[in-house]
């Protein structure tokens, strides 16, 4: 089932987004076993993302052949466990985290590829830079944190709202992404889209989607 789901999504995104860019599928693997994740990788998944540090480290040695993303809220006291282990940290959501990442990465002589997370729906329940401050923050981190390499933007759409409202938020993110990319060739990823909204995100110019349920089925959390 996992393999079929992966192949079906890969087929749907094969033509790229309307901006003519390749779309990267990131499997969001929270609650999934290493065996399930390896099944997805065998079917063509190239990138996997965990959103809890504990799950990331527990499964790290048992998942093979995929780029590792961290996609969840990252506490500063857990940064040390990710140093040298991630290909992309998608959830750089505050300066305090950038400071800690810079300090630890520099000590390890490593550079952390990251996306700046934007709270595009201005939701109290979500972290991230506000849309208004994101451009300045991106430039500040890009210029002043030499062991952090910013590679683009990440955002999550609000669950509530009409498709038109969501599409407008995607267009806003794409506009910010294009503005930053015009000044920085390293700005390449716009990571937007989960199981419930990825088609809409891709239509608006997202080039990276993070899917859990569409690939693995409904999540069951232990009671
Ligand atoms: C779980 C998760 C996803 C995927 O969610 P689905 O709705 O299951 O596709 C994407 N991004 C982040 C940050 C997540 O934690």
């Amino acid at each position: 089932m996992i393999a079929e789901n992966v192949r079906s999504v890969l087929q749907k995104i094969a033509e790229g987004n309307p901006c003519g860019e390749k779309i990267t599928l990131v499997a969001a693997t929270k609650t999934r076993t290493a065996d399930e994740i390896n099944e997805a990788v065998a079917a063509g998944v190239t990138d996997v993302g965990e959103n809890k540090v504990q799950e990331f480290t527990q499964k790290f040695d048992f998942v093979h052949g995929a780029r590792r993303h961290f996609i969840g809220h990252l506490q500063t006291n857990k940064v040390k466990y990710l140093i040298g282990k991630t290909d992309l940290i998608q959830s750089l959501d505050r300066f305090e985290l950038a400071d800690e990442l810079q300090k630890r990465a520099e000590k390890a002589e490593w550079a952390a590829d990251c996306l700046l997370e934007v709270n595009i729906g201005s939701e109290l329940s979500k972290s991230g830079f506000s849309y208004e401050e994101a451009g300045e923050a991106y430039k500040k981190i890009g210029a002043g944190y030499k062991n952090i390499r910013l590679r683009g933007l990440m955002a999550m759409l609000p669950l509530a709202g009409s498709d038109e409202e969501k599409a407008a938020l995607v267009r806003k993110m794409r506009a910010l992404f294009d503005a930053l990319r015009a000044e920085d060739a390293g700005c390449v990823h716009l990571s937007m889209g989960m199981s419930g909204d990825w088609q809409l995100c891709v239509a608006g110019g997202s080039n990276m989607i993070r899917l859990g349920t569409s690939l693995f089925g409904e999540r069951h959390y232990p009671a």
Side-chain angles (χ1 to χ4, degrees):
M1 201 59 207
I2 293 173
E4 271 172 49
N5 294 340
V6 168
R7 284 194 283 268
S8 159
V9 171
L10 287 175
Q11 206 168 8
K12 287 178 192 151
I13 64 173
E15 282 176 27
N17 69 13
C19 308
E21 296 157 349
K22 180 181 180 301
I23 298 161
T24 302
L25 168 63
V26 180
T29 50
K30 54 181 174 272
T31 78
R32 301 300 164 183
T33 64
D35 283 349
E36 289 173 299
I37 301 166
N38 285 322
E39 192 179 335
V41 173
V45 161
T46 55
D47 294 68
V48 301
E50 286 289 350
N51 73 334
K52 291 226 162 64
V53 171
Q54 196 183 352
E55 281 192 66
F56 182 96
T57 51
Q58 274 171 356
K59 295 175 214 170
F60 188 85
D61 291 332
F62 303 101
V63 172
H64 308 288
R67 287 164 42 87
R68 311 302 176 96
H69 299 231
F70 190 80
I71 62 177
H73 184 66
L74 180 53
Q75 291 169 259
T76 45
N77 64 355
K78 294 196 174 157
V79 165
K80 54 178 178 280
Y81 302 114
L82 297 184
I83 295 300
K85 296 201 153 182
T86 55
D87 293 288
L88 192 62
I89 296 174
Q90 298 205 9
S91 42
L92 180 52
D93 58 3
R94 62 200 191 281
F95 281 114
E96 183 200 13
L97 176 59
D99 292 342
E100 178 68 10
L101 257 176
Q102 170 57 35
K103 193 180 86 187
R104 296 272 177 185
E106 185 171 0
K107 220 164 148 189
E109 298 181 23
W110 177 70
D113 279 13
C114 296
L115 304 182
L116 194 84
E117 182 173 351
V118 181
N119 186 355
I120 187 60
S122 308
E123 294 173 281
L124 290 175
S125 61
K126 291 208 175 97
S127 50
F129 291 90
S130 73
Y131 186 79
E132 291 68 30
E133 70 188 349
E136 279 306 307
Y138 196 98
K139 287 173 201 167
K140 188 173 169 192
I141 292 170
Y145 292 68
K146 64 181 173 41
N147 293 70
I148 294 177
R149 284 195 303 235
L150 284 179
R151 309 304 316 272
L153 302 172
M154 185 270 247
M156 269 179 266
L157 286 177
L159 280 178
S162 67
D163 281 359
E164 289 73 34
E165 285 164 337
K166 291 178 186 178
L169 295 178
V170 181
R171 281 197 300 275
K172 272 179 79 172
M173 283 297 299
R174 180 72 206 195
L176 177 61
F177 172 75
D178 283 336
L180 293 169
R181 197 173 54 158
E183 295 180 22
D184 171 16
C187 179
V188 291
H189 302 302
L190 178 57
S191 178
M192 286 189 89
M194 310 191 359
S195 293
D197 58 24
W198 70 264
Q199 281 101 335
L200 186 155
C201 290
V202 162
S206 167
N207 60 27
M208 182 173 271
I209 58 177
R210 309 176 309 269
L211 305 188
T213 312
S214 307
L215 304 183
F216 299 106
E218 290 294 328
R219 277 183 292 277
H220 301 288
Y221 290 95

